[in-house]
Amino acid sequence: MQVTLKIFRYNPEVDTTFHYESYVIENAQETDRVLDLLEHVKGYNDGTLSFRRSCAHGVCGSDALRINGRNMLACKALVRDVGEKITIEPLLGLKVVKDLIVDMEPFFDNYKKVLPWFINDSPLPADGRERLQSPEQRARFDDTTKCIMCAACTTSCPSFWASDDYLGPAALVAAHRFVFDSRDEAAAERMEIVSETSGLARCHTAFNCTMACPREIQITKAIGELKMATITGRVE
Amino acid sequence: MASKPRTLPLNKRGMNFEMFMWIITRLTALAMYGLILIAIIGALIMGARNQMNIADVLRWGFMPNAGHVQSVPLENAEAWATPFWRWVGSALLLVAVGHGVHGLVVIADDYIVSERGRGVVRFISIVMMIGMSIIGLYVLWTA
């Protein structure tokens, strides 16, 4: 089958603004991934095309792109799912560095604000081994452990488009992962951070993040649970 | 496996002005549903089934102001102008203005990042909220 790719192009060393270029790929398969098509263009049509990729198996989160207007991983999007005419653009809300590559620093800056690491200063258990928790306690935050930090959620959020000082769904998911961990002892600090003006109150429950997440994390639900925690104080 | 309760005290759970207003906005939405339902049921009990069309009923439902029914050929408009309905109208007005103005502030906060800009918008919004409330209450209690 024939597939036409319309790709966002921008080279800051040459271009004053962005433009789109189209590439026709003959003999594509409906089971080809969009990443395969991008590799084809880079290999056979234009070696200057720039995009991020790493594992190519939906785990590293490097190749999140806007494909036909929706955020998804290029390595998980199949031709049969997105059609024969495919528009590929960089993620919205982050500065374009070149072609499909965006500057992820604002995203990671927000991520770091919620202290996304395990905090427990209490002495280890008497046997000196790991801090145990029940399967139920582990299940409480299981969904939010699946995040691969691809930024598909945050860059699909209208509140983040308007202002990148909003923590964004990914940072709130990271906060959820530790706030509801029975072994963690910094829930109060994180709740204070996520309740700032640029935090939970900026979420208008548009559900774009939940729709965009390639790991199918129930992000809006997780954010809702953090909101409820500010009311009830319960983080278990 | 033993687990100690994990409930954060009130001053450690991030309950600040932003989150307080987030809760208030949800509660005022529920309050509006209740007040509008009370007004519509009241209108039907008072005879709106025969004397008012659907537009009049809805106008009463969303703003139960006796002045809204005086233009309708009612046999007894005084029944609508009781203190009870003035209080229902006042409550609906204040809840709706508070809900709506806070909604505008939240949207404005999406686009205005500086503290000074947010302060200016909030000041204008609060002045607007007070102004609309005073005008609305004046109409409700003098109609």
Side-chain angles (χ1 to χ4, degrees):
Chain A
M1 64 190 296
Q2 184 188 76
V3 173
T4 303
L5 296 185
K6 181 181 168 188
I7 302 177
F8 179 104
R9 303 299 306 268
Y10 172 66
N11 181 349
E13 295 177 355
V14 179
D15 302 326
T16 54
T17 185
F18 67 90
H19 63 282
Y20 289 86
E21 285 185 21
S22 292
Y23 306 89
V24 176
I25 299 176
E26 307 287 349
N27 301 321
Q29 305 294 315
E30 66 172 14
T31 52
D32 280 345
R33 304 168 301 176
V34 171
L35 181 62
D36 297 326
L37 305 181
L38 285 171
E39 295 282 20
H40 186 280
V41 171
K42 188 172 177 67
Y44 295 97
N45 298 82
D46 186 348
T48 67
L49 176 65
S50 300
F51 55 90
R52 285 196 179 100
R53 60 147 291 173
S54 186
C55 78
H57 286 80
V59 177
C60 73
S62 301
D63 61 352
L65 294 167
R66 198 150 41 103
I67 299 169
N68 286 349
R70 295 185 63 170
N71 284 2
M72 51 184 91
L73 298 182
C75 61
K76 289 188 77 176
L78 303 182
V79 170
R80 71 177 173 210
D81 297 329
V82 296
E84 296 168 12
K85 295 187 185 303
I86 307 170
T87 302
I88 305 173
E89 299 161 299
L91 297 172
L92 276 178
L94 295 171
K95 186 181 176 188
V96 176
V97 177
K98 184 173 186 285
D99 292 338
L100 302 174
I101 296 176
V102 293
D103 178 10
M104 297 281 281
E105 283 308 313
F107 170 79
F108 288 122
D109 287 344
N110 283 335
Y111 179 75
K112 283 181 266 189
K113 284 178 190 170
V114 302
L115 315 178
W117 52 83
F118 183 66
I119 298 174
N120 187 329
D121 295 328
S122 299
L124 282 171
D127 63 3
R129 301 179 69 181
E130 67 261 48
R131 304 173 198 277
L132 299 178
Q133 64 183 173
S134 68
E136 292 75 22
Q137 289 171 328
R138 175 62 177 75
R140 180 67 185 86
F141 60 94
D142 184 66
D143 197 37
T144 44
T145 63
K146 297 188 298 187
C147 179
I148 56 174
M149 292 190 289
C150 64
C153 58
T154 296
T155 57
S156 70
C157 175
S159 296
F160 183 77
W161 295 339
S163 162
D164 64 11
D165 79 325
Y166 170 45
L167 287 174
L172 295 174
V173 161
H176 181 283
R177 182 256 173 271
F178 290 102
V179 163
F180 290 97
D181 186 335
S182 62
R183 303 163 301 175
D184 191 89
E185 294 181 342
E189 287 89 328
R190 292 194 186 89
M191 289 306 297
E192 192 173 334
I193 293 165
V194 300
S195 301
E196 291 295 318
T197 307
S198 57
L200 291 171
R202 299 262 68 72
C203 169
H204 306 325
T205 53
F207 278 88
N208 283 15
C209 53
T210 303
M211 298 281 286
C213 180
R215 303 302 301 262
E216 299 179 356
I217 300 171
Q218 299 301 304
I219 300 174
T220 314
K221 181 181 174 209
I223 295 173
E225 289 174 353
L226 286 171
K227 287 173 177 171
M228 283 303 294
T230 65
I231 300 169
T232 65
R234 292 178 67 83
V235 291
E236 55 188 344
Chain B
M1 180 152 318
S3 65
K4 55 185 177 183
R6 299 183 81 232
T7 301
L8 302 173
L10 187 59
N11 63 344
K12 299 270 187 186
R13 61 179 71 159
M15 178 51 75
N16 53 19
F17 177 76
E18 299 294 335
M19 294 313 298
F20 178 75
M21 286 307 296
W22 180 84
I23 297 166
I24 291 293
T25 305
R26 269 70 198 165
L27 294 179
T28 51
L30 291 174
M32 276 192 285
Y33 279 117
L35 290 166
I36 290 167
L37 197 61
I38 288 171
I40 290 177
I41 291 172
L44 293 173
I45 291 173
M46 288 190 296
R49 284 169 297 177
N50 303 320
Q51 297 162 338
M52 296 167 77
N53 60 29
I54 184 66
D56 291 326
V57 173
L58 288 178
R59 197 179 305 135
W60 176 264
F62 285 95
M63 183 51 69
N65 166 19
H68 280 160
V69 294
Q70 285 172 350
S71 57
V72 180
L74 287 171
E75 293 176 5
N76 179 16
E78 288 182 4
W80 303 68
T82 62
F84 172 77
W85 288 114
R86 291 191 201 278
W87 281 112
V88 170
S90 302
L92 182 54
L93 170 74
L94 296 176
V95 163
V97 169
H99 180 91
V101 169
H102 183 253
L104 287 175
V105 169
V106 168
I107 300 298
D109 280 356
D110 275 351
Y111 297 92
I112 301 167
V113 180
S114 74
E115 286 301 316
R116 180 182 167 81
R118 282 178 173 169
V120 169
V121 168
R122 287 181 184 207
F123 177 76
I124 293 171
S125 302
I126 290 169
V127 168
M128 189 171 69
M129 182 175 73
I130 293 171
M132 285 192 296
S133 299
I134 290 173
I135 293 169
L137 289 173
Y138 176 79
V139 171
L140 280 167
W141 287 90
T142 58

